[in-house]
Amino acid sequence: MPETCPSSSFGWLRQRLSHLDKHLPLLLLAIAVGVLAGYGAVLFRFVIKGVQYAFYQNSEDFLLFAHAVPWYLKLALPAAGGLVVGFLVSRGAPEAKGHGVPEVMEAVALHDGRIRKRVALVKILASAISIGSGGSVGREGPIVQIGSGIGSTLGQLMKVSRPNQRTLVGCGAAAGIAATFNAPIAGVLFALEILLGDFGISAFSPVVISSVTATTIARYYFGDFPAFEVPSFEVISLWEFGIYPFLGILCGLVALTFVFVLYKGEDLFDVLHIPAPLKAGLGGLLVGCILLWFPQVFGVGYGAINLSLMNSMGWQLMLALVGVKILATTITIGSGGSGGVFAPSLFIGAMTGGVFGWAMHFMLPGITASPGAYALVAMGGLVAGTTHAPITAILIIFELTSDYQCILPLMTTCIISTLVASGLNSGSIYTLKLLRRGVDIRSGMEQNILRNLKVREFMHSDDITIYEGAPLMDVLGAFHRNNASYLHVVDAKGVLTGIISFRDLRNVLAEEYLEHLIIARDIATTCLQTVQANDSIQHALHTMAVRGISQLPVIDESGRLQGTIRERDVVTAYDKAVVQRQLTQR
């Protein structure tokens, strides 16, 4: 018999493998991201407990031992935690400051999902110290950034395409949320609805696989238990369905208040020109002052949420905690702390719903459920109002309860809250942070490319200049010698003072004997629109469109001419960038 040719066998094998589903490598990477992000979530929770034990010699819920902590330690320990966090963030990774999700969204929109490798480690340490020392923040935002960082790092190491890079970032975010809340469906929806904005099968399948994998790992270590002690939900009367729309309106208004105060607080702390560690330490000290009277706002605040859900908290305290939690979270994040705003949104929602439910039960006892039911629904309402992501909010509460009866009240409350919040403020708690940096996620790839391109990359520095005191004959000679369309007029220090075009010469060329009397400054257009080298191309193009001009002078901070940016050069460079981006995505 003739022997089988080894090369033929290997060729057949290669041919068979080439027919495998092209998505298989991405699915395998998604599993790897799910495993790593799942263990990252587990590690993060253990690190938080370790940090809290190091600060307070107790890793249980703070409400259980707050009475035993001396008042001076309630002040000193959060301040010390803030100092450490400020140092870590300023020296290690500035992206780890704040709640993390906007940074991931920016990486997906502008940098094709590329996140620096050190971010995950710095975020684990900084957020764990913020939460463990008493900062009023959540662990969900950090774990999203940690999981996304893991997905991004793995994608960069494997050199995947740009669309797959973004998908792996979404896989990491979904895995983190799923492992934190024991809610795989909510993890998937969070990644697709908030981060990626893509429900296509190419992104959906890997994100689902990653979320399920991470949930399995979290259940192995923590068991198959919901994140909160959730009572059985009940609707006493059909009339009660008419009450939940009002709860949705209230949740939307409270969500708007939370977002407004949060960013006003950041602005106030930005005014303080002190080193970052001292600023974060000051924030920790202020939070410590709050803890003296309201220990419920310590850390993620799950203990207080459980009390509100189980009807074990008075309405006066719940009402006070709505404002106190907003204040404490604003101070922690605004001063430079590291942690999420998802858990504070749940906390504020639980307290808001508890007060609303108490009032409704007091006025209409025969047709309303207990306040805990309204607290549960309002948790979803606040999340929907702050994130503008009602599907994620509905599913995360549904997964926590596994009770179908809450679906209709949840849907009503979350949708109305989102409509109220988005109608009065177009940005969510995540996108507003990016809008403040000039990044609009909703505008799509093309606009984000323009924002990412800088004027300095395309400006020309071969401009023809003339001294502002030069006589008219010298101006005419400069136009003739250089065959120029414009002359840039500068003073003795090189500062741009005007521009002369052929149009400016028309009124003086017909006049006799003026060539010796008129100087360049007399005929120049002095009302100028300029840009700087670090401005975005989008800003330059918008300015040209508004003014109806085809080029802009580029100046430095002192007003000296650096060059010119022309519309045709910008359009050509933009077209090349779009083509290059499309080629690399194949």
Side-chain angles (χ1 to χ4, degrees):
M1 293 181 62
E3 295 184 0
T4 303
C5 178
S7 61
S8 299
S9 300
F10 285 122
W12 176 86
L13 180 60
R14 284 195 296 270
Q15 185 180 9
R16 294 298 96 192
L17 290 175
S18 67
H19 286 82
L20 289 175
D21 190 348
K22 64 179 181 180
H23 296 298
L24 181 59
L26 183 59
L27 294 178
L28 294 176
L29 287 176
I31 294 174
V33 171
V35 171
L36 294 174
Y39 276 107
V42 172
L43 174 64
F44 185 49
R45 291 179 65 171
F46 281 129
V47 172
I48 291 174
K49 285 185 173 291
V51 169
Q52 183 176 313
Y53 188 84
F55 275 86
Y56 296 95
Q57 280 70 57
N58 196 318
S59 60
E60 299 299 321
D61 191 282
F62 188 71
L63 290 179
L64 300 177
F65 64 90
H67 62 280
V69 179
W71 66 269
Y72 54 88
L73 289 182
K74 290 180 181 178
L75 297 176
L77 295 180
L83 283 170
V84 176
V85 170
F87 179 82
L88 275 175
V89 170
S90 61
R91 298 296 181 90
E95 305 97 309
K97 176 185 175 182
H99 40 106
V101 176
E103 285 70 24
V104 176
M105 297 172 72
E106 183 177 10
V108 170
L110 298 184
H111 308 297
D112 299 308
R114 294 183 176 271
I115 301 173
R116 289 201 299 167
K117 299 177 180 64
R118 70 171 70 179
V119 171
L121 178 60
V122 174
K123 192 68 176 182
I124 286 177
L125 295 176
S127 297
I129 295 172
S130 280
I131 297 170
S133 64
S136 180
V137 283
R139 61 181 182 227
E140 299 75 24
I143 199 57
V144 166
Q145 195 169 15
I146 292 165
S148 299
I150 291 172
S152 176
T153 299
L154 188 59
Q156 292 177 59
L157 292 175
M158 302 304 295
K159 298 180 179 179
V160 301
S161 65
R162 291 182 177 181
N164 289 346
Q165 179 78 33
R166 293 194 295 271
T167 299
L168 290 177
V169 169
C171 289
I177 289 291
T180 299
F181 284 110
N182 189 21
I185 301 177
V188 171
L189 267 297
F190 180 90
L192 298 179
E193 186 179 20
I194 295 178
L195 291 185
L196 301 180
D198 181 9
F199 287 85
I201 190 66
S202 59
F204 185 80
S205 300
V207 170
V208 169
I209 292 293
S210 187
S211 180
V212 170
T213 303
T215 305
T216 303
I217 292 172
R219 288 180 179 179
Y220 176 79
Y221 287 95
F222 304 119
D224 187 8
F225 302 106
F228 306 106
E229 297 177 11
V230 181
S232 59
F233 188 89
E234 59 179 346
V235 177
I236 301 299
S237 168
L238 289 177
W239 293 104
E240 196 171 6
F241 287 113
I243 297 175
Y244 283 102
F246 295 99
L247 178 59
I249 295 172
L250 178 62
C251 288
L253 295 176
V254 175
L256 281 172
T257 303
F258 179 32
V259 175
F260 175 81
V261 173
L262 179 67
Y263 288 114
K264 282 298 180 182
E266 285 195 359
D267 292 339
L268 289 176
F269 275 102
D270 287 341
V271 174
L272 297 177
H273 298 293
I274 59 177
L278 293 180
K279 188 182 295 186
L282 174 62
L285 180 63
L286 294 175
V287 172
C289 293
I290 295 175
L291 292 176
L292 291 175
W293 288 276
F294 298 98
Q296 294 85 356
V297 302
F298 183 101
V300 295
Y302 284 0
I305 292 176
N306 287 329
L307 291 177
S308 68
L309 294 175
M310 303 305 295
N311 302 308
S312 300
M313 188 179 291
W315 70 268
Q316 299 94 335
L317 179 58
M318 288 190 290
L319 180 61
L321 286 175
V322 172
V324 171
K325 186 66 174 181
I326 292 175
L327 178 62
T329 303
T330 298
I331 292 172
T332 302
I333 293 179
S335 64
S338 180
V341 293
F342 202 92
S345 296
L346 292 172
F347 184 104
I348 297 165
M351 301 305 151
T352 301
V355 174
F356 180 87
W358 186 94
M360 292 297 102
H361 196 64
F362 177 79
M363 293 186 293
L364 305 168
I367 64 170
T368 55
S370 63
Y374 291 90
L376 179 66
V377 173
M379 288 169 65
L382 249 293
V383 170
T386 54
T387 64
H388 296 185
I391 301 176
T392 299
I394 292 167
L395 284 176
I396 198 168
I397 302 301
F398 175 65
E399 282 194 283
L400 290 176
T401 61
S402 299
D403 190 341
Y404 188 76
Q405 288 195 68
C406 72
I407 283 294
L408 292 180
L410 259 179
M411 293 173 67
T412 301
T413 302
C414 291
I415 293 298
I416 291 178
S417 176
T418 304
L419 291 175
V420 170
S422 61
L424 296 176
N425 194 346
S426 58
S428 71
I429 198 168
Y430 300 136
T431 59
L432 270 179
K433 187 171 184 178
L434 297 178
L435 287 172
R436 287 155 60 89
R437 301 175 185 170
V439 178
D440 188 357
I441 297 296
R442 302 166 301 171
S443 59
M445 180 195 75
E446 290 78 9
Q447 292 300 316
N448 285 320
I449 288 178
L450 290 176
R451 288 191 183 92
N452 215 25
L453 298 177
K454 299 300 182 183
V455 168
R456 63 173 177 269
E457 301 175 36
F458 308 107
M459 70 181 189
H460 294 264
S461 56
D462 55 349
D463 304 295
I464 309 302
T465 60
I466 190 168
Y467 175 57
E468 63 180 3
L472 179 60
M473 291 300 295
D474 290 350
V475 174
L476 295 174
F479 271 110
H480 178 72
R481 287 192 306 273
N482 299 288
N483 192 26
S485 300
Y486 296 90
L487 291 181
H488 293 80
V489 182
V490 298
D491 63 11
K493 297 181 179 180
V495 175
L496 181 69
T497 59
I499 293 180
I500 301 176
S501 67
F502 281 124
R503 182 181 301 174
D504 298 319
L505 294 175
R506 292 177 183 174
N507 296 329
V508 296
L509 288 178
E511 300 291 338
E512 298 181 1
Y513 311 113
L514 291 181
E515 63 267 17
H516 300 292
L517 301 177
I518 293 179
I519 60 176
R521 184 177 57 229
D522 297 330
I523 59 176
T525 300
T526 56
C527 182
L528 300 179
Q529 188 70 45
T530 61
V531 292
Q532 295 189 358
N534 287 327
D535 288 339
S536 70
I537 289 299
Q538 186 195 42
H539 171 68
L541 282 178
H542 176 74
T543 302
M544 292 180 195
V546 170
R547 296 295 298 268
I549 53 180
S550 60
Q551 66 180 33
L552 287 170
V554 183
I555 61 173
D556 61 16
E557 294 180 355
S558 60
R560 294 186 179 90
L561 182 67
Q562 290 187 301
T564 302
I565 183 77
R566 301 184 179 96
E567 184 179 23
R568 63 178 183 272
D569 299 323
V570 171
V571 172
T572 300
Y574 167 72
D575 290 340
K576 290 180 180 179
V578 172
V579 171
Q580 181 64 29
R581 186 185 184 102
Q582 291 174 345
L583 289 175
T584 55
Q585 288 180 349
R586 293 181 177 179

